[in-house]
Amino acid sequence: MDAQGHGRADDIDPADQWVLNPRTGEYELRLSPSAPRPPVPGPRGAGRGRPPRDRAPSPRRGTDGGETRREVPSQRRRRTAPEEPPGRRGRRPEPQAKKGPKGRRVLLWTGGTMALVLLAACTGGYFYLKHLEGNVSATDVGDAGKSTFSKDEAFNILVIGTDKRTGAGNEGYGDAGSAGHADTTILLHVSKDRSNATALSIPRDLIVDIPDCPTKQADGSTQVIPGSQGVRFNRSLGESGRDPGCTMRTVKENTGIPVDHFMMADFNAVKTLTSAVGGVKVCLQHAVNDEKSKLNLPEGESTVQGEQALAFVRTRHAFGNQGDLDRIKVQQQFLASLMRQMSSGDTLTSPTKLVKLAEAATKALTVDSAIRKVGTLKDIALELKKVPTKNISFTTVPVKDNPAETVKATVVLEESKAPQLFDTIVNDVSLTAAKQQQKREAAAVAARLKGDKSAPSDVRVRILNGGAPAGSAQETLAWLQTEQGVDKSENLGNAPAELARTTLEYAPAQADQARRLAGILGLSGAAMKPGESVTNAQGLPTMTLTLGKDFKGAGVKLNAASQKAPDVEKSTADKVQCAG
């Protein structure tokens, strides 16, 4: 890979110019003193004619496995002059770099015909990062997602792999007439506290309702594409001009999970990205020689890249019942292996590999306009790297065979499991740490109740419906009065506005009453809202309980301690599994 700039030779690898700053622990783009300006990557051949001596030397490997910066000889010194050792003529020796750059992490998600790489770029190299930004394609999805990325909230990114047959060597893959259907789709949920993440695979053959979809046209106008009822999920993209925003809307319509952003790639992504990283380790329970996908691997562990990697994640006939659901499991194992490699391999300490990976990744990606800037992609990557590998769960939307079909070709939601899984993601509950989270919430409730001297009969509260099902306020009132002894309660009807979460507002003097009611209702600390009280008909201060959209019914506790992890098949990124 080349990066050229004004007055610089065209054979300079930008990786050779990344230098570790010992003060910050991050790599920065450093040039020789003779360079008139920072290099701006351009077409091959730009800026020819600069003498070779102006080339910035590459970092030198230190004794501890890190990298130290090499001194650049003066421009006037002969090229044969020996390099001046550190510490001579009063100069302080440069400190050795610590192992592993702190700010340069890459996370690659590859599934089926898609791949996602986010480069956690360093703070230097502004012009090179702008070059990477120019590689990324973007689509305006309107209000299908968020207009900005927040580092302080949980977030959901829809990763889409298409079956579009663009790119050299891809003529034999996918549907020759496809505009790019949603061949492989993963909804990545990252928790607010960054302690866990869930990668939810959505089967392409799942029967869904696709809603009407406003799409931006080339001339700036908006065209609404009519929806479709009872069709395959993969038709939410490509067909009739549907863009990724339509797929985002389809996910929300059928799961209730809002999608904040999307990232999309095609066949080339798997090939170029796995080659850039030097291959991915996979494991097979038995040897595979699949004529359809051209996958030919022995039993046990192998390393795949390029065409082999694409064949591995596309294979349907070599594993399980030869269906798409078993292919999804193989893709999840591939992703987990790749993540382990990226977090522990030599890629993180190799600027050359990181730059090659950044180039391949940004050229492979199409994203929504809100996250197109490399700075935003960097922020997303830095948030992702906070999640421990052992707490990254892979699972699939619970489904069953479509009962309307004699020859089973599609699937429908498993109603006994799917809604609970969707609620788990919406409520930001981990699939891997559910028990620990339940214990923490229970301990928090116990701490709030400790020392509470108020009795249920002392609690005064008015109840408002702020988005719960009709009749919820009256139902809660009856339950509190007849079963909990909170007889000083009243129903005031609908709230002025709807709320996503149930809240309890109280004055400081009512803290004991608030703790007592929180214990009865199972309210989390986030639901407690210190503020002002109101006066009831007897002229006494009263708290306000507003039932939000998360309300599940009278007596159903609202904190995470009451929410059990759904009974679904799952795996985690830290476990080695063999496809079979």
Side-chain angles (χ1 to χ4, degrees), residues 14 75 116 151 258 310 316 417 427 446 489 573:
Q75 190 175 17
L116 159 65
K151 294 187 287 186
L310 180 58
R316 296 184 59 175
K417 296 181 178 181
N427 293 324
S489 51

Side-chain angles (χ1 to χ4, degrees), residues 103-107 118-122 377-379 381-382 385:
R104 304 221 6 112
R105 289 275 184 106
V106 180
L107 178 61
L118 297 175
L119 174 67
C122 69
L377 292 176
K378 180 190 76 172
D379 289 341
L382 292 174
K385 80 168 188 176

Side-chain angles (χ1 to χ4, degrees), residues 453-465:
K453 300 178 181 179
S454 63
S457 59
D458 297 328
V459 175
R460 294 184 298 274
V461 61
R462 64 174 191 164
I463 306 168
L464 299 173
N465 189 328

